[in-house]
Amino acid sequence: MSNVLHFNESLILKIDGQPEQNELLSILANQLYKQGYVKNTYKDAILEREAATPTGLYTENINVAIPHTDTKHVIEDAIVVAILDNPVKFARMDDPSSKIDVRIVIMLALSQPHGHIEMLQKVISFIQKQDVLEDILTHSENMDRVKSIITQYLL
Amino acid sequence: MKKILVACGNGVATSTVAGIKIREACENAGIPVEITQCKLMEVESKADNFDLVVTTGVFGGKVNTPVISGITFLTGVGVDKTIQEIIDKLNN
């Protein structure tokens, strides 16, 4: 089993318009599927998981969601990041009855439990760097800049 | 040695991060801990063997072991308070 975690600029997407949550999750899951990192069951599993145990993280400023699902749907580990022009509603992980506006989504495809500890820590500390997230959203029309900021923190 | 059960939706991602931070905080406080990860749905059957349960998602069940929310390990908002709560429970 490969231990590589795939993440590159083609896995950083800018989403315009106003997609519903399911639509957005499908776009991201399809991106992982197209690149061969997840099975064709991954998308539905992500949608089910998000409905059952949501992943919206309420930060009091720029909220982030980190959708992920069971390891059996994953072929090779990868993450895909979405910068949203308009907020998409997610339920809070710690309070599923509350919906929050999310501007950045980091979808995780992990093939083994408890793996990629370093990467997971990077993702979580990235979410906590609110000044960096603000910078990203402020300059989201310049995707080259956004991509270079994100890869600087996540790679 | 105190035993802590850390649970998240599918026991794969967020409990890993929370578990590392809990271990670090407890060691800084001079409390040796053993961390075990699991899925939220496994908490009810496992909790009795632990001194404390920390969850990143919502645990709706009933167990005798104290349960604390560990969401602040992910959001960073109010994490010091959560650490203090964990230490207090373990010292209890």
Side-chain angles (χ1 to χ4, degrees):
Chain A
M1 196 173 284
S2 159
N3 255 331
V4 178
L5 186 138
H6 298 279
F7 180 61
N8 57 57
E9 293 198 353
S10 76
L11 292 166
I12 302 173
L13 311 176
K14 184 172 186 289
I15 308 288
D16 53 15
Q18 244 166 347
E20 295 287 322
Q21 187 197 86
N22 278 0
E23 215 179 317
L24 171 68
L25 293 174
S26 301
I27 293 169
L28 301 183
N30 283 337
Q31 189 69 16
L32 291 170
Y33 179 67
K34 267 196 297 195
Q35 301 205 18
Y37 301 141
V38 298
K39 298 177 189 168
N40 61 5
T41 54
Y42 179 83
K43 186 184 84 182
D44 285 346
I46 279 280
L47 298 180
E48 271 170 39
R49 243 310 296 273
E50 193 63 35
T53 48
T55 65
L57 297 177
Y58 178 65
T59 64
E60 298 178 354
N61 187 15
I62 296 166
N63 302 318
V64 180
I66 50 167
H68 52 282
T69 189
D70 284 342
T71 52
K72 65 180 178 197
H73 306 288
V74 176
I75 299 166
E76 290 187 42
D77 297 22
I79 62 175
V80 55
V81 178
I83 309 301
L84 312 179
D85 276 352
N86 298 298
V88 172
K89 295 272 184 210
F90 276 78
R92 275 173 69 161
M93 186 183 282
D94 59 330
D95 179 10
S97 62
S98 309
K99 293 263 167 51
I100 53 172
D101 282 335
V102 163
R103 292 293 303 276
I104 296 177
V105 176
I106 304 173
M107 185 179 281
L108 313 168
L110 300 173
S111 65
Q112 297 163 67
H114 324 314
H116 292 298
I117 290 169
E118 201 184 327
M119 186 62 183
L120 287 172
Q121 284 180 305
K122 279 186 190 175
V123 168
I124 297 301
S125 71
F126 178 63
I127 292 166
Q128 297 180 8
K129 289 191 176 72
Q130 287 285 318
D131 50 334
V132 176
L133 301 190
E134 272 203 70
D135 191 33
I136 288 171
L137 291 179
T138 311
H139 298 96
S140 67
E141 80 291 342
N142 181 350
M143 274 309 275
D144 286 342
R145 182 189 165 128
V146 167
K147 285 177 178 180
S148 97
I149 296 172
I150 293 176
T151 47
Q152 181 192 330
Y153 283 96
L154 293 188
L155 276 183
Chain B
M1 176 75 76
K2 297 286 187 180
K3 294 175 73 184
I4 304 177
L5 186 64
V6 184
C8 65
N10 54 8
V12 172
T14 62
S15 57
T16 305
V17 179
I20 290 166
K21 295 186 181 222
I22 291 166
R23 180 193 305 283
E24 215 175 73
C26 289
E27 279 171 2
N28 287 342
I31 307 171
V33 291
E34 186 187 307
I35 307 275
T36 304
Q37 283 176 246
C38 76
K39 301 181 185 198
L40 278 168
M41 56 191 290
E42 297 168 335
V43 168
E44 249 172 340
S45 63
K46 294 188 169 177
D48 278 351
N49 302 318
F50 292 85
D51 299 297
L52 181 66
V53 177
V54 181
T55 69
T56 57
V58 174
F59 173 64
K62 271 218 152 78
V63 292
N64 298 317
T65 311
V67 181
I68 288 179
S69 165
I71 192 72
T72 65
F73 291 109
L74 308 180
T75 63
V77 184
V79 67
D80 292 346
K81 209 173 142 221
T82 307
I83 289 171
Q84 194 54 52
E85 204 182 340
I86 289 172
I87 291 168
D88 289 348
K89 289 269 194 255
L90 293 178
N91 283 332
N92 225 324

